[in-house]
Amino acid sequence: MMKSPDIRAGEALVLSENQQASTSTRFAFIKNSPAYQRWLETYEESDSPFISALRTVTTTVGGWFDENETARVIRSMKEIDPDFRLEKWTGELREYIVPEVVDAYLSADRESLRQWCGEAVRPNLLCR
């Protein structure tokens, strides 16, 4: 007697925690291989006008997708606080933090400035 196929089969997606590790391991293996290292050295040191133009193009296009300083900071903040949202944080800055610091600065409230500002910033603010 033949079993009827399970109609729910294939609907569930199961993610493996090791999936990303295996992909990065695969790329690490390629990047660490002696053949790749020789090819990369030849590519980077080539005086060929075609290779030079190709390097310029790949550097330019690659620069479009590089992580900028803002993205690095946001990623760092999300590592510290997974619930970090830039919009919420900038709203809090605009509505609460910046007005408090500016008011403390304009009224020369040194104690409030000490509470709000780190040691690296304080000498610049308190020199008034």
Side-chain angles (χ1 to χ4, degrees):
M1 187 157 107
M2 206 165 165
K3 281 178 124 177
S4 64
D6 187 358
I7 59 172
R8 295 175 294 147
E11 290 180 7
L13 176 65
V14 179
L15 297 178
S16 169
E17 291 181 18
N18 297 333
Q19 184 68 26
Q20 187 176 9
S22 66
T23 303
S24 64
T25 304
R26 194 173 345 159
F27 289 130
F29 172 75
I30 292 170
K31 287 186 174 186
N32 293 332
S33 73
Y36 177 77
Q37 294 297 324
R38 283 191 305 272
W39 176 84
L40 191 59
E41 184 177 333
T42 303
Y43 173 76
E44 290 174 350
E45 295 177 0
S46 175
D47 292 331
S48 164
F50 175 74
I51 299 296
S52 178
L54 185 61
R55 277 195 310 261
T56 302
V57 168
T58 57
T59 302
T60 302
V61 172
W64 295 340
F65 300 101
D66 278 347
E67 186 178 47
N68 63 19
E69 185 178 3
T70 303
R72 283 191 299 273
V73 169
I74 292 171
R75 183 174 39 82
S76 298
M77 294 296 283
K78 286 188 177 190
E79 287 174 2
I80 295 168
D81 178 13
D83 295 328
F84 176 78
R85 298 291 173 263
L86 182 61
E87 298 79 22
K88 180 181 172 192
W89 183 69
T90 54
E92 189 174 319
L93 277 174
R94 190 179 317 108
E95 299 297 323
Y96 180 66
I97 297 172
V98 171
E100 287 285 327
V101 172
V102 170
D103 185 46
Y105 178 75
L106 292 175
S107 64
D109 184 356
R110 291 174 181 262
E111 187 57 37
S112 293
L113 287 173
R114 280 190 184 92
Q115 291 173 355
W116 280 107
C117 302
E119 290 183 28
V121 176
R122 272 191 227 136
N124 296 329
L125 292 175
L126 298 177
C127 65
R128 254 177 75 164

